[in-house]
Amino acid sequence: MDATEEPAAASAPADAAGPACPLPAAARGGPVSHALSRVARLHRTAAAGRLRGIGLYPGQELVMMHLWENGPARQSELIRMLGLDPSTVTKMLQRLEQGGHVRRLPDPADRRAVRVEATESGARLLAEVERAWSALEEESLAGLTPAEREQLLALLGRVEANLWSRNAAQP
């Protein structure tokens, strides 16, 4: 390779869905990080479109999933689980409450704490959210074999574990 050629890692792979996306110079030291960032952004945009159809904003379905799986939760628990700023979660919960999907009540064990629970309306969203996420999964993974899907899931799990351990070590 001479000085005018770029290394193979400097571009994202091209496929039938579209042309390769050249990496900006700042990302050339971290092509996987840049690819993850692009994919996460595109995935969130696609999720937003599907969720909008059922009256939710991105992230609200994660709150609902937590409540469906675990029952009522303290607002502080939801903030930790989502890893978001408390004001962002408060706004998210206000919108869900205005939509009739959750209710916030004082926690009986600690009246200073707020407990969040799904309402009947919120429970009815479960099937719609599952359909939206299933469709998003199929759209995102189209063309991947079952073995490739398993491998991708395993690799992303390892990346997630690396980031969790790194973030847990941060003050």
Side-chain angles (χ1 to χ4, degrees):
M1 171 169 73
D2 65 59
T4 62
E5 292 178 319
E6 290 186 351
S11 293
D15 63 25
C21 175
L23 296 178
R28 291 191 177 141
V32 172
S33 293
H34 192 264
L36 283 171
S37 178
R38 288 191 325 267
V39 168
R41 186 180 64 247
L42 290 167
H43 191 269
R44 184 172 173 86
T45 300
R50 292 190 179 280
L51 293 170
R52 191 173 22 257
I54 57 176
L56 295 177
Y57 292 92
Q60 290 179 331
E61 82 282 15
L62 300 176
V63 169
M64 296 307 300
M65 286 178 187
H66 185 80
L67 296 175
W68 294 326
E69 291 175 16
N70 302 294
R74 284 188 176 180
Q75 186 167 327
S76 58
E77 177 187 337
L78 295 172
I79 289 167
R80 272 192 311 280
M81 183 267 306
L82 292 168
L84 297 174
D85 184 79
S87 63
T88 301
V89 176
T90 298
K91 181 68 172 173
M92 190 181 292
L93 292 173
Q94 286 171 344
R95 285 181 170 167
L96 285 167
E97 195 170 35
Q98 289 166 357
H101 305 307
V102 301
R103 71 171 74 48
R104 292 183 292 171
L105 306 162
D107 189 315
D110 179 354
R111 305 289 288 168
R112 295 169 297 164
V114 175
R115 193 176 83 169
V116 181
E117 58 186 36
T119 62
E120 286 183 34
S121 170
R124 287 192 297 270
L125 286 174
L126 174 60
E128 294 179 72
V129 168
E130 285 178 344
R131 275 193 297 278
W133 271 62
S134 292
L136 179 59
E137 179 113 345
E138 286 308 309
E139 178 183 335
S140 299
L141 302 179
L144 296 181
T145 66
E148 289 170 328
R149 290 175 183 215
E150 285 182 33
Q151 184 180 24
L152 177 61
L153 185 59
L155 292 171
L156 288 172
R158 289 171 57 190
V159 170
E160 181 181 22
N162 291 342
L163 294 172
W164 267 111
S165 63
R166 182 232 178 252
N167 289 338
Q170 295 296 320

